[in-house]
Every structure is written in structure tokens, then in C-alpha cells.
Amino acid sequence: MDTDIKSMTLEELKTEMERQGEKSFRAGQLYDWMHNKLAASYEEMTNIPLSLRKKLEDQYPYVSLKPVEIQESRLDGTRKFLFALSDGNMVESVWMKYKHGNSVCISSQVGCKMGCRFCASTLDGWERNLLPSEMLDQIYAITRLTGERVSHVVVMGTGEPMDNFDNLLTFIHILTEEHGLHISQRNITVSTCGIVPKMKELAEKGLSITLALSLHATTDEKRRKLMPVAETYHMDELMDACAYYFEKTGRRITFEYSLVAGVNDTPGDAMQLSALAGPLNCHVNLIPVNPIKERTYRQSGQAEILAFKNKLEKNKINVTVRREMGRDIDGACGQLRRRHIYEEKSR
Ligand code: SF4
């Protein structure tokens, strides 16, 4: 691919402009248009001479995502965006409004290889990794479309972020550094299904982001039934990686735990989960699983969810139940994109 200008750090952009024989302050202007003013095209960059804009246009394709469909929940205002990428692929992102600010959940890959059984994003396999610019522009495009500032970002949509590690790090760098949107690292959450070596590598990067581990089961046997990744990385290695992350960063890990009726929601599961989360000082986020029609998993009942939460609290575990946002729209991650692909095929 041609050089992706929106994925360059400010330093890289300075070098690139110098290489082009341009004054180095042009790099600052360009960077400001891309990552602070969130320009959707070179055309908007009015303080950059027309001749340079033309040259950039010819040499550097400009990533700017276009919405294909936007759904808005009538229940809570959550908006789901389906964006088209330049190669015809599509990705989903979700915008949620909370008291503490606006949060965007982005995708990190087109499709996913991980095969988690409760997830619609993986049903058609993996297509490709997203570029840093394509991750950034999900946030930028949503800011342009809503006219509201984004304060929190979660990398929890389609894809396994640790499987696109280098691009993830560049994305975090550009999103959080002072010349761009300057979002606090503390307001960024990255989720993983548990790629142990990458969790350890991330721990060594000196970041203060939150790591969320999709745990969903407390024994290897149960976890293997839900998540094929558990065949490769076992529970003891996973817990070691969590301890290492906490030790290195001082950041408390979140355990994401989807409650599936009759599979992982018994009092015994709650006890085992307490035993895992307690020593690591983890926060537990219980997720009433979002049913997808291709699988038979059912959501645990309200009574079971409450009993599960109470049991954890009794064991002094810090626990929340994730509020279900946008229940009336294609809620589960990957569903909107899938529907579109199949509608297009049937046309
Ligand atoms: S839950 Fe995440 S890691 Fe698992 S298949 Fe879905 S997108 Fe991939």
C-alpha cells in the first residue's frame, strides 16, 4: 500500500516532509488538521498551499471513513456505525453516551480469527488487520458526525487487538499524545481474549491504559468450550500474565465475564471467579450475554445475574453489571456488518 499518512507519528511525518523537501512546520500543520481538527479530506486544510495539497493527494491516500449505515437506539441514544473502508470492507463502531462523557467502542480488525463461540464477529473468519489510521478514524468520523467530543475509547469491537499489536500501539500513541485529541491513557480500555505473550509485552510498554481480559469461565475445561484460545493458553499462564501486568503497570485488570445461562452462571462459578479475581485485585464486569441467532447460548436470568453479583460482593470483589446499551439495535458486536454482507450477497 502507498504510505498511509494518517498512521504516521508527528516525528515520522516531519521526516517524511523533509524528505519531500517541504519545510518542517508543514508537518505540524498537517498533523493538526488530521488529528486535532479531524479534517475529512486534504481539501479542508486551507492553510496548506494548494500545490502541496495536490501533491499530497497524489502521493498519500487519505483515510477517511464513510458511514454506510447509522442506527440509533430509541432506548438510550446509543448509536451504531457501519463504516466503509477504501478496499470495500466494512467495520462497526459504537457510540455511547454516559454521565462521565462519550465513549466509543472501536474495531481493530476486519473479522476475527479467535472463534469465540458467543461472538458474531468471528463467524465469517478474519479478513485483515486495521491500520492505525482506520482505528483512529472510527473515533474521528464519529466526532464529526455527532459534533460531540469523545472522552473514552474502548478497543472491544470486532477483532483481537493483541493480534494487531504494532498498529494498536501506534493508534494509542497518536490518540493520546498532546498534538492530537490528547485523550487520557486512563480513559482507554483494550480488551483481549488472552494472548499471554502479548499481554506481557503490553505490560512493558509503560502505558497507563486499562487491560480487560475476556475471561468468561473459571476453569480451562469450561473456557475451552467457549473460547478456542484456551487450548493454547491455560488458566494458570493467564493469571500469571495478569499478575505481571498489574505488577508492571499498577493498573487493575478488568475481568469481562459474559453470563451464559446454565454454562458459567452457577454459585460454584461465582466462588471460583472470586478466588481468581481476589488475589489479583481485579475488577469484574458481568455481561449479560447478547444472544446471536447463529448460536444457542441464552442470557442468564435477572435473578441469576443478581445472585452471581451478590456472591462476588460477599467475597469482597469489586463488581459491576454492564448496562446493556442499544438493546433495540443490532446489539451484539459484528451483527450489523454481517447483516449488510448477506443483504449485499442476496442482491
Ligand atoms: S469476542 Fe473478540 S476475540 Fe473473541 S471472536 Fe469476538 S472479536 Fe474475536
Side-chain angles (χ1 to χ4, degrees), residues 4 6-8 130-138 164 166-172 174:
D4 177 22
K6 217 185 235 186
S7 291
M8 286 183 188
L130 290 187
L131 299 163
S133 57
E134 291 169 328
M135 291 192 249
L136 289 163
D137 214 59
Q138 294 173 59
N164 186 12
D166 293 342
N167 286 350
L168 174 78
L169 292 183
T170 307
F171 159 79
I172 294 172
I174 296 177

PDB file of all heavy atoms in Angstrom, residues 4 6-8 130-138 164 166-172 174:
ATOM      1  N   ASP A   4       0.728   5.474   4.285  1.00  0.00           N
ATOM      2  CA  ASP A   4      -0.502   5.878   4.970  1.00  0.00           C
ATOM      3  C   ASP A   4      -0.191   7.048   5.907  1.00  0.00           C
ATOM      4  O   ASP A   4       0.271   6.864   7.023  1.00  0.00           O
ATOM      5  CB  ASP A   4      -1.042   4.662   5.734  1.00  0.00           C
ATOM      6  CG  ASP A   4      -2.268   5.001   6.545  1.00  0.00           C
ATOM      7  OD1 ASP A   4      -2.946   5.995   6.226  1.00  0.00           O
ATOM      8  OD2 ASP A   4      -2.545   4.254   7.508  1.00  0.00           O
ATOM      9  N   LYS A   6      -1.928   9.147   7.626  1.00  0.00           N
ATOM     10  CA  LYS A   6      -2.649   9.335   8.892  1.00  0.00           C
ATOM     11  C   LYS A   6      -2.175   8.363   9.979  1.00  0.00           C
ATOM     12  O   LYS A   6      -2.532   8.499  11.138  1.00  0.00           O
ATOM     13  CB  LYS A   6      -4.149   9.183   8.652  1.00  0.00           C
ATOM     14  CG  LYS A   6      -4.979  10.142   9.489  1.00  0.00           C
ATOM     15  CD  LYS A   6      -6.454   9.882   9.333  1.00  0.00           C
ATOM     16  CE  LYS A   6      -7.167  11.138   8.910  1.00  0.00           C
ATOM     17  NZ  LYS A   6      -8.630  10.955   8.891  1.00  0.00           N
ATOM     18  N   SER A   7      -1.388   7.363   9.584  1.00  0.00           N
ATOM     19  CA  SER A   7      -0.847   6.441  10.594  1.00  0.00           C
ATOM     20  C   SER A   7       0.544   6.866  11.055  1.00  0.00           C
ATOM     21  O   SER A   7       1.168   6.178  11.862  1.00  0.00           O
ATOM     22  CB  SER A   7      -0.759   5.016  10.020  1.00  0.00           C
ATOM     23  OG  SER A   7      -2.037   4.484   9.833  1.00  0.00           O
ATOM     24  N   MET A   8       1.041   7.997  10.534  1.00  0.00           N
ATOM     25  CA  MET A   8       2.392   8.428  10.919  1.00  0.00           C
ATOM     26  C   MET A   8       2.366   9.214  12.221  1.00  0.00           C
ATOM     27  O   MET A   8       1.487  10.060  12.419  1.00  0.00           O
ATOM     28  CB  MET A   8       2.975   9.352   9.843  1.00  0.00           C
ATOM     29  CG  MET A   8       3.404   8.643   8.614  1.00  0.00           C
ATOM     30  SD  MET A   8       4.142   9.874   7.505  1.00  0.00           S
ATOM     31  CE  MET A   8       4.358   8.878   6.067  1.00  0.00           C
ATOM     32  N   LEU A 130      -6.682  -3.806  10.863  1.00  0.00           N
ATOM     33  CA  LEU A 130      -6.931  -2.395  10.562  1.00  0.00           C
ATOM     34  C   LEU A 130      -5.636  -1.612  10.771  1.00  0.00           C
ATOM     35  O   LEU A 130      -4.834  -1.932  11.648  1.00  0.00           O
ATOM     36  CB  LEU A 130      -8.021  -1.822  11.473  1.00  0.00           C
ATOM     37  CG  LEU A 130      -9.444  -2.329  11.243  1.00  0.00           C
ATOM     38  CD1 LEU A 130     -10.430  -1.556  12.108  1.00  0.00           C
ATOM     39  CD2 LEU A 130      -9.853  -2.222   9.777  1.00  0.00           C
ATOM     40  N   LEU A 131      -5.464  -0.584   9.943  1.00  0.00           N
ATOM     41  CA  LEU A 131      -4.319   0.321  10.098  1.00  0.00           C
ATOM     42  C   LEU A 131      -4.579   1.232  11.297  1.00  0.00           C
ATOM     43  O   LEU A 131      -5.745   1.464  11.656  1.00  0.00           O
ATOM     44  CB  LEU A 131      -4.188   1.182   8.842  1.00  0.00           C
ATOM     45  CG  LEU A 131      -3.952   0.434   7.537  1.00  0.00           C
ATOM     46  CD1 LEU A 131      -4.246   1.334   6.348  1.00  0.00           C
ATOM     47  CD2 LEU A 131      -2.507  -0.054   7.502  1.00  0.00           C
ATOM     48  N   PRO A 132      -3.527   1.813  11.871  1.00  0.00           N
ATOM     49  CA  PRO A 132      -3.773   2.779  12.952  1.00  0.00           C
ATOM     50  C   PRO A 132      -4.763   3.857  12.514  1.00  0.00           C
ATOM     51  O   PRO A 132      -5.667   4.234  13.249  1.00  0.00           O
ATOM     52  CB  PRO A 132      -2.387   3.372  13.218  1.00  0.00           C
ATOM     53  CG  PRO A 132      -1.436   2.310  12.780  1.00  0.00           C
ATOM     54  CD  PRO A 132      -2.091   1.602  11.634  1.00  0.00           C
ATOM     55  N   SER A 133      -4.583   4.350  11.268  1.00  0.00           N
ATOM     56  CA  SER A 133      -5.476   5.417  10.766  1.00  0.00           C
ATOM     57  C   SER A 133      -6.928   4.957  10.718  1.00  0.00           C
ATOM     58  O   SER A 133      -7.843   5.744  10.963  1.00  0.00           O
ATOM     59  CB  SER A 133      -5.036   5.818   9.356  1.00  0.00           C
ATOM     60  OG  SER A 133      -5.040   4.679   8.516  1.00  0.00           O
ATOM     61  N   GLU A 134      -7.145   3.685  10.412  1.00  0.00           N
ATOM     62  CA  GLU A 134      -8.529   3.186  10.320  1.00  0.00           C
ATOM     63  C   GLU A 134      -9.143   3.011  11.711  1.00  0.00           C
ATOM     64  O   GLU A 134     -10.359   3.092  11.873  1.00  0.00           O
ATOM     65  CB  GLU A 134      -8.562   1.868   9.538  1.00  0.00           C
ATOM     66  CG  GLU A 134      -8.230   2.059   8.058  1.00  0.00           C
ATOM     67  CD  GLU A 134      -7.990   0.756   7.315  1.00  0.00           C
ATOM     68  OE1 GLU A 134      -7.476  -0.210   7.942  1.00  0.00           O
ATOM     69  OE2 GLU A 134      -8.270   0.699   6.117  1.00  0.00           O
ATOM     70  N   MET A 135      -8.296   2.771  12.692  1.00  0.00           N
ATOM     71  CA  MET A 135      -8.816   2.713  14.072  1.00  0.00           C
ATOM     72  C   MET A 135      -9.111   4.133  14.548  1.00  0.00           C
ATOM     73  O   MET A 135     -10.158   4.416  15.113  1.00  0.00           O
ATOM     74  CB  MET A 135      -7.792   2.038  14.989  1.00  0.00           C
ATOM     75  CG  MET A 135      -7.631   0.563  14.702  1.00  0.00           C
ATOM     76  SD  MET A 135      -6.701  -0.245  16.018  1.00  0.00           S
ATOM     77  CE  MET A 135      -5.214  -0.633  15.176  1.00  0.00           C
ATOM     78  N   LEU A 136      -8.167   5.039  14.276  1.00  0.00           N
ATOM     79  CA  LEU A 136      -8.349   6.436  14.697  1.00  0.00           C
ATOM     80  C   LEU A 136      -9.580   7.046  14.043  1.00  0.00           C
ATOM     81  O   LEU A 136     -10.372   7.735  14.687  1.00  0.00           O
ATOM     82  CB  LEU A 136      -7.123   7.278  14.305  1.00  0.00           C
ATOM     83  CG  LEU A 136      -5.843   7.027  15.084  1.00  0.00           C
ATOM     84  CD1 LEU A 136      -4.650   7.606  14.331  1.00  0.00           C
ATOM     85  CD2 LEU A 136      -5.930   7.613  16.483  1.00  0.00           C
ATOM     86  N   ASP A 137      -9.741   6.792  12.749  1.00  0.00           N
ATOM     87  CA  ASP A 137     -10.805   7.483  12.033  1.00  0.00           C
ATOM     88  C   ASP A 137     -12.203   7.011  12.425  1.00  0.00           C
ATOM     89  O   ASP A 137     -13.181   7.696  12.143  1.00  0.00           O
ATOM     90  CB  ASP A 137     -10.605   7.411  10.510  1.00  0.00           C
ATOM     91  CG  ASP A 137     -11.099   8.704   9.849  1.00  0.00           C
ATOM     92  OD1 ASP A 137     -10.571   9.779  10.205  1.00  0.00           O
ATOM     93  OD2 ASP A 137     -12.033   8.645   9.038  1.00  0.00           O
ATOM     94  N   GLN A 138     -12.311   5.863  13.082  1.00  0.00           N
ATOM     95  CA  GLN A 138     -13.635   5.498  13.626  1.00  0.00           C
ATOM     96  C   GLN A 138     -14.034   6.545  14.664  1.00  0.00           C
ATOM     97  O   GLN A 138     -15.172   6.999  14.712  1.00  0.00           O
ATOM     98  CB  GLN A 138     -13.590   4.116  14.262  1.00  0.00           C
ATOM     99  CG  GLN A 138     -13.344   3.001  13.260  1.00  0.00           C
ATOM    100  CD  GLN A 138     -13.131   1.659  13.932  1.00  0.00           C
ATOM    101  OE1 GLN A 138     -13.981   1.166  14.666  1.00  0.00           O
ATOM    102  NE2 GLN A 138     -11.996   1.042  13.687  1.00  0.00           N
ATOM    103  N   ASN A 164      -3.068  -7.514  16.510  1.00  0.00           N
ATOM    104  CA  ASN A 164      -2.716  -6.392  15.616  1.00  0.00           C
ATOM    105  C   ASN A 164      -1.912  -5.402  16.469  1.00  0.00           C
ATOM    106  O   ASN A 164      -2.204  -4.211  16.561  1.00  0.00           O
ATOM    107  CB  ASN A 164      -4.022  -5.759  15.086  1.00  0.00           C
ATOM    108  CG  ASN A 164      -3.772  -4.690  14.038  1.00  0.00           C
ATOM    109  OD1 ASN A 164      -2.656  -4.549  13.524  1.00  0.00           O
ATOM    110  ND2 ASN A 164      -4.803  -3.919  13.733  1.00  0.00           N
ATOM    111  N   ASP A 166       1.304  -4.018  16.825  1.00  0.00           N
ATOM    112  CA  ASP A 166       2.076  -2.811  16.491  1.00  0.00           C
ATOM    113  C   ASP A 166       1.149  -1.663  16.078  1.00  0.00           C
ATOM    114  O   ASP A 166       1.361  -0.512  16.468  1.00  0.00           O
ATOM    115  CB  ASP A 166       3.081  -3.103  15.367  1.00  0.00           C
ATOM    116  CG  ASP A 166       4.162  -4.063  15.845  1.00  0.00           C
ATOM    117  OD1 ASP A 166       4.326  -4.207  17.070  1.00  0.00           O
ATOM    118  OD2 ASP A 166       4.822  -4.693  15.001  1.00  0.00           O
ATOM    119  N   ASN A 167       0.126  -1.994  15.283  1.00  0.00           N
ATOM    120  CA  ASN A 167      -0.824  -0.958  14.880  1.00  0.00           C
ATOM    121  C   ASN A 167      -1.595  -0.423  16.092  1.00  0.00           C
ATOM    122  O   ASN A 167      -1.914   0.766  16.164  1.00  0.00           O
ATOM    123  CB  ASN A 167      -1.808  -1.497  13.824  1.00  0.00           C
ATOM    124  CG  ASN A 167      -1.137  -1.655  12.470  1.00  0.00           C
ATOM    125  OD1 ASN A 167      -0.016  -1.207  12.264  1.00  0.00           O
ATOM    126  ND2 ASN A 167      -1.820  -2.291  11.537  1.00  0.00           N
ATOM    127  N   LEU A 168      -1.878  -1.301  17.030  1.00  0.00           N
ATOM    128  CA  LEU A 168      -2.568  -0.870  18.249  1.00  0.00           C
ATOM    129  C   LEU A 168      -1.715   0.152  19.014  1.00  0.00           C
ATOM    130  O   LEU A 168      -2.211   1.185  19.473  1.00  0.00           O
ATOM    131  CB  LEU A 168      -2.847  -2.087  19.147  1.00  0.00           C
ATOM    132  CG  LEU A 168      -3.440  -1.757  20.510  1.00  0.00           C
ATOM    133  CD1 LEU A 168      -4.926  -1.444  20.413  1.00  0.00           C
ATOM    134  CD2 LEU A 168      -3.225  -2.898  21.514  1.00  0.00           C
ATOM    135  N   LEU A 169      -0.418  -0.137  19.118  1.00  0.00           N
ATOM    136  CA  LEU A 169       0.464   0.776  19.867  1.00  0.00           C
ATOM    137  C   LEU A 169       0.555   2.145  19.182  1.00  0.00           C
ATOM    138  O   LEU A 169       0.511   3.186  19.846  1.00  0.00           O
ATOM    139  CB  LEU A 169       1.865   0.177  20.013  1.00  0.00           C
ATOM    140  CG  LEU A 169       1.983  -1.058  20.907  1.00  0.00           C
ATOM    141  CD1 LEU A 169       3.437  -1.486  21.002  1.00  0.00           C
ATOM    142  CD2 LEU A 169       1.424  -0.834  22.306  1.00  0.00           C
ATOM    143  N   THR A 170       0.662   2.148  17.854  1.00  0.00           N
ATOM    144  CA  THR A 170       0.708   3.432  17.133  1.00  0.00           C
ATOM    145  C   THR A 170      -0.601   4.188  17.329  1.00  0.00           C
ATOM    146  O   THR A 170      -0.608   5.403  17.546  1.00  0.00           O
ATOM    147  CB  THR A 170       0.952   3.183  15.618  1.00  0.00           C
ATOM    148  OG1 THR A 170       2.102   2.372  15.484  1.00  0.00           O
ATOM    149  CG2 THR A 170       1.124   4.469  14.861  1.00  0.00           C
ATOM    150  N   PHE A 171      -1.698   3.463  17.250  1.00  0.00           N
ATOM    151  CA  PHE A 171      -3.025   4.060  17.460  1.00  0.00           C
ATOM    152  C   PHE A 171      -3.087   4.731  18.839  1.00  0.00           C
ATOM    153  O   PHE A 171      -3.495   5.899  18.960  1.00  0.00           O
ATOM    154  CB  PHE A 171      -4.088   2.944  17.332  1.00  0.00           C
ATOM    155  CG  PHE A 171      -5.398   3.243  17.984  1.00  0.00           C
ATOM    156  CD1 PHE A 171      -6.323   4.080  17.364  1.00  0.00           C
ATOM    157  CD2 PHE A 171      -5.732   2.692  19.212  1.00  0.00           C
ATOM    158  CE1 PHE A 171      -7.545   4.367  17.962  1.00  0.00           C
ATOM    159  CE2 PHE A 171      -6.945   2.967  19.818  1.00  0.00           C
ATOM    160  CZ  PHE A 171      -7.844   3.810  19.190  1.00  0.00           C
ATOM    161  N   ILE A 172      -2.659   4.029  19.868  1.00  0.00           N
ATOM    162  CA  ILE A 172      -2.713   4.587  21.226  1.00  0.00           C
ATOM    163  C   ILE A 172      -1.818   5.822  21.320  1.00  0.00           C
ATOM    164  O   ILE A 172      -2.196   6.843  21.899  1.00  0.00           O
ATOM    165  CB  ILE A 172      -2.311   3.531  22.292  1.00  0.00           C
ATOM    166  CG1 ILE A 172      -3.342   2.405  22.321  1.00  0.00           C
ATOM    167  CG2 ILE A 172      -2.180   4.160  23.681  1.00  0.00           C
ATOM    168  CD1 ILE A 172      -2.954   1.219  23.191  1.00  0.00           C
ATOM    169  N   ILE A 174      -0.883   7.975  18.931  1.00  0.00           N
ATOM    170  CA  ILE A 174      -1.432   9.153  18.240  1.00  0.00           C
ATOM    171  C   ILE A 174      -2.677   9.681  18.969  1.00  0.00           C
ATOM    172  O   ILE A 174      -2.869  10.890  19.097  1.00  0.00           O
ATOM    173  CB  ILE A 174      -1.744   8.822  16.754  1.00  0.00           C
ATOM    174  CG1 ILE A 174      -0.435   8.478  16.020  1.00  0.00           C
ATOM    175  CG2 ILE A 174      -2.445   9.983  16.060  1.00  0.00           C
ATOM    176  CD1 ILE A 174      -0.589   8.065  14.568  1.00  0.00           C
TER     177      ILE A 174
END
